Amino acid sequence: MSTLFTAWGYEVSYLEFSAVIASFVAVVLGALGKRIAWPWWVLSSSLYGIFFYQVELLASALLQIVFILAAIWGWFGWSAAGARPRFMKNSERIIWLLVLITAWLISAPVLADIGAAASRPDSFLLVSSTIAQIVMVLQRHETWVLWIVIDAFGTYHYANQQYWFTSVLYAALTVIAVFGWFSWRKLQGHEQISA
């Protein structure tokens, strides 16, 4: 990979830098509930898919395909005005949590068997991010609670893998996820007023 710049001894490639910028834009637009976030997800996920494949984080690479499919679904699933958030019922929350735990317990050993790097934490990011993205497309507030946990964990995971620039992105995404929670609450308030 060609190096764009070096920061604190870490070489940031053109590919990683472009993926970080596109991801940042996608998440900010998503936190604002803007439909235009979805094409940015396609771009960022395409770039990150290549990056993660090149560094053998296979679950993270696979996750980018999920993000692209979710972005297409989100583009057609959200109105032109953007997100219309609502909360889940408790039964929905329990079902999604059970799906997350079960899928993670199944996927981690499978990834280890095919030789993926950091299979246990990477599979957690794969499964939990897939669920969070589906919940986002479905326009449920709980997506932001999931993203806060996922992004905080991703900050640690990518720092542990020494992908410092991506780790910094995930730290910023954690803050944006908190903003997204409050932003979507305001969107829901406006939705109820106009209904």
Side-chain angles (χ1 to χ4, degrees):
M1 287 186 267
S2 300
T3 302
L4 176 61
F5 63 89
T6 302
W8 304 286
Y10 175 69
E11 295 180 357
V12 178
S13 68
Y14 286 94
L15 179 59
E16 185 180 10
F17 182 79
S18 300
V20 165
I21 298 302
S23 294
F24 186 80
V25 171
V27 173
V28 168
L29 291 171
L32 292 170
K34 304 291 184 189
R35 185 175 181 224
I36 195 67
W38 297 115
W40 282 94
W41 273 110
V42 171
L43 175 62
S44 68
S45 299
S46 299
L47 295 170
Y48 257 127
I50 295 165
F51 174 76
F52 287 134
Y53 180 77
Q54 288 178 348
V55 298
E56 297 181 4
L57 289 172
L58 302 181
S60 290
L62 178 61
L63 177 60
Q64 304 315 305
I65 295 169
V66 171
F67 283 162
I68 291 168
L69 295 173
I72 294 166
W73 180 22
W75 177 257
F76 291 104
W78 284 21
S79 74
R84 294 186 173 148
R86 56 200 173 280
F87 284 100
M88 289 182 185
K89 297 175 184 171
N90 284 334
S91 59
E92 289 177 280
R93 290 180 184 135
I94 292 168
I95 290 168
W96 283 113
L97 182 61
L98 291 174
V99 168
L100 187 153
I101 292 168
T102 303
W104 179 40
L105 292 174
I106 291 169
S107 67
V110 170
L111 286 169
D113 287 346
I114 62 171
S119 60
R120 197 165 286 150
D122 213 31
S123 67
F124 174 76
L125 286 175
L126 169 65
V127 171
S128 60
S129 296
T130 298
I131 290 171
Q133 196 72 355
I134 291 168
V135 171
M136 185 173 184
V137 170
L138 295 173
Q139 303 169 65
R140 301 298 195 270
H141 281 285
E142 289 79 0
T143 191
W144 296 109
V145 174
L146 288 168
W147 283 122
I148 291 166
V149 171
I150 293 162
D151 293 338
F153 180 77
T155 301
Y156 160 77
H157 174 55
Y158 293 121
N160 194 43
Q161 297 296 311
Q162 297 183 346
Y163 299 119
W164 304 113
F165 203 61
T166 296
S167 179
V168 169
L169 169 68
Y170 269 76
L173 296 180
T174 304
V175 174
I176 296 169
V178 172
F179 167 76
W181 171 259
F182 289 107
S183 175
W184 276 35
R185 290 196 60 125
K186 283 184 184 177
L187 284 175
Q188 186 176 22
H190 291 301
E191 201 53 41
Q192 289 171 344
I193 291 167
S194 57

